[in-house]
Amino acid sequence: MLWIILGQTPLPQATTQELHWKMKKSFSRSTLRGQKGFSEIGLKLEMVSQDALRRTIFPLGGLTKQFVKKIAAENRLHHVLQKKESMGMCFVGKRNFEHFLLQYLQPRPGHFISIEDNKVLGTHKGWFLYTLGQRANIGGLREPWYVVEKDGVKGNVFVAPRKDHPALYRDLLRTSRVHWITEEPPAALVRDKMMECHFRFRHQMALVPCVLTLNQDGTVWVTAVQAVHALATGQFAVFYKGDECLGSGKIVRLGPSAYTLRKSQHRGGVAIENPSDGPEDGPGLRPLP
């Protein structure tokens, strides 16, 4: 996807939501969520400043990837048609991801530990090599195990025996200070301190209905209507209202997993997985029967 940043010509704030253009200037904060082929734009534009967005044009306009390939076929640009989709890390190319990272980071050996009984199942070269939901290749074990938690202090990686294990599902997260594309939080959120909208944190994932709770420091709690699979700190939660992208915030804290909540219910008490954030813990504290 090509972006072009225009010069210093003063332009109005990006607020209109035009959907059809050829060489289109970006006067819109919309992510074109309703148009096929534009599901990734929200995860690329949601951190762009309003000043830059007012000066941005899209050379391919409203053309979908499929239509661009059709044009390429008509013009015999076979190298374009034969190029495979890129699903890995941009600019890294096809290579062993673990080996690539260990060229720049010192190994930090630790253990793979079962989340269910704390049994040590194997060893690894560094907790930073794994992401939540990823299959953990543990030597000597035939059955698949999946990463559900990481302890960056002790260096251990906790795993579960199923990809759909409840330890991978959460319905609560907190972000860093949110970058709002229109430079200000939505009026309804400022007025009520809460607002219904949708969010996603991965390219092409379905939008998840949620409720935002605004904190005094500009961060937000995000409470999903249903538990979400493989949330992880460091990812960006991108917020939508209808077809409009509102902005995003980096995920800095996660609420308790469904597995932790289930165990806490058996014991009775309050489910907390992370240290207290002070008086704005709000949705993160959950009294249990």
Side-chain angles (χ1 to χ4, degrees):
M1 180 176 64
L2 296 176
W3 304 349
I4 295 178
I5 306 300
L6 303 177
Q8 298 303 312
T9 306
L11 295 171
Q13 183 171 354
T15 56
T16 62
Q17 295 191 346
E18 300 171 357
L19 295 181
H20 302 288
W21 67 85
K22 290 187 178 179
M23 181 73 82
K24 178 173 171 54
K25 294 179 182 178
S26 176
F27 292 112
S28 174
R29 68 185 181 219
S30 168
T31 63
L32 313 180
R33 185 174 65 84
Q35 282 206 17
K36 183 179 180 182
F38 285 91
S39 59
E40 66 183 283
I41 293 182
L43 293 178
K44 291 188 169 58
L45 292 185
E46 86 321 318
M47 290 299 292
V48 177
S49 70
Q50 184 64 219
D51 181 63
L53 194 59
R54 286 195 296 261
R55 294 173 170 80
T56 304
I57 58 177
F58 298 89
L60 293 181
L63 304 181
T64 64
K65 186 180 296 184
Q66 290 75 14
F67 193 79
V68 171
K69 287 186 175 181
K70 181 176 181 293
I71 296 174
E74 292 172 349
N75 289 273
R76 300 180 180 179
L77 300 175
H78 300 295
H79 64 285
V80 175
L81 298 172
Q82 295 170 358
K83 188 175 181 179
K84 295 182 179 180
E85 293 283 337
S86 175
M87 297 299 179
M89 182 178 291
C90 294
F91 311 115
V92 170
K94 186 176 182 180
R95 65 183 70 187
N96 184 293
F97 189 61
E98 178 177 317
H99 293 169
F100 172 74
L101 285 181
L102 290 177
Q103 291 178 24
Y104 303 94
L105 300 173
Q106 290 295 323
R108 289 188 58 188
H111 294 105
F112 286 116
I113 300 177
S114 168
I115 193 72
E116 296 185 340
D117 57 12
N118 287 323
K119 180 181 178 180
V120 174
L121 302 175
T123 60
H124 60 77
K125 295 180 181 178
W127 60 269
F128 49 81
L129 298 171
Y130 301 91
T131 188
L132 300 192
Q134 175 184 348
R135 179 170 176 174
N137 294 317
I138 305 175
L141 297 182
R142 284 188 175 182
E143 65 275 15
W145 288 74
Y146 298 90
V147 177
V148 296
E149 299 215 8
K150 300 186 294 181
D151 185 340
V153 177
K154 296 182 179 180
N156 293 323
V157 175
F158 292 88
V159 293
R162 303 194 319 272
K163 192 175 182 64
D164 62 348
H165 193 279
L168 274 170
Y169 286 85
R170 290 175 168 83
D171 61 5
L172 182 69
L173 65 93
R174 186 173 183 169
T175 72
S176 61
R177 185 178 182 86
V178 175
H179 168 81
W180 302 105
I181 292 181
T182 56
E183 299 178 342
E184 297 292 340
L189 183 59
V190 174
R191 181 185 66 244
D192 302 329
K193 304 303 179 186
M194 299 180 71
M195 184 184 74
E196 294 182 355
C197 64
H198 291 77
F199 85 103
R200 65 158 56 106
F201 59 95
R202 283 194 305 267
H203 168 47
Q204 290 188 335
M205 72 173 286
L207 290 175
V208 179
C210 66
V211 175
L212 302 186
T213 303
L214 182 64
N215 298 317
Q216 291 181 354
D217 59 0
T219 66
V220 297
W221 284 102
V222 182
T223 305
V225 171
Q226 60 186 27
V228 182
H229 183 263
L231 280 169
T233 56
Q235 295 172 316
F236 278 78
V238 184
F239 307 116
Y240 301 83
K241 192 75 169 178
D243 286 338
E244 180 182 346
C245 179
L246 302 175
S248 71
K250 184 178 181 179
I251 300 174
V252 296
R253 183 180 176 192
L254 300 175
S257 69
Y259 182 70
T260 298
L261 290 172
R262 184 181 300 174
K263 290 197 303 181
S264 298
Q265 284 177 336
H266 293 319
R267 293 194 302 264
V270 177
I272 305 176
E273 286 196 351
N274 297 291
S276 172
D277 272 359
E280 290 188 304
D281 277 334
L285 291 175
R286 298 179 175 218
L288 299 167

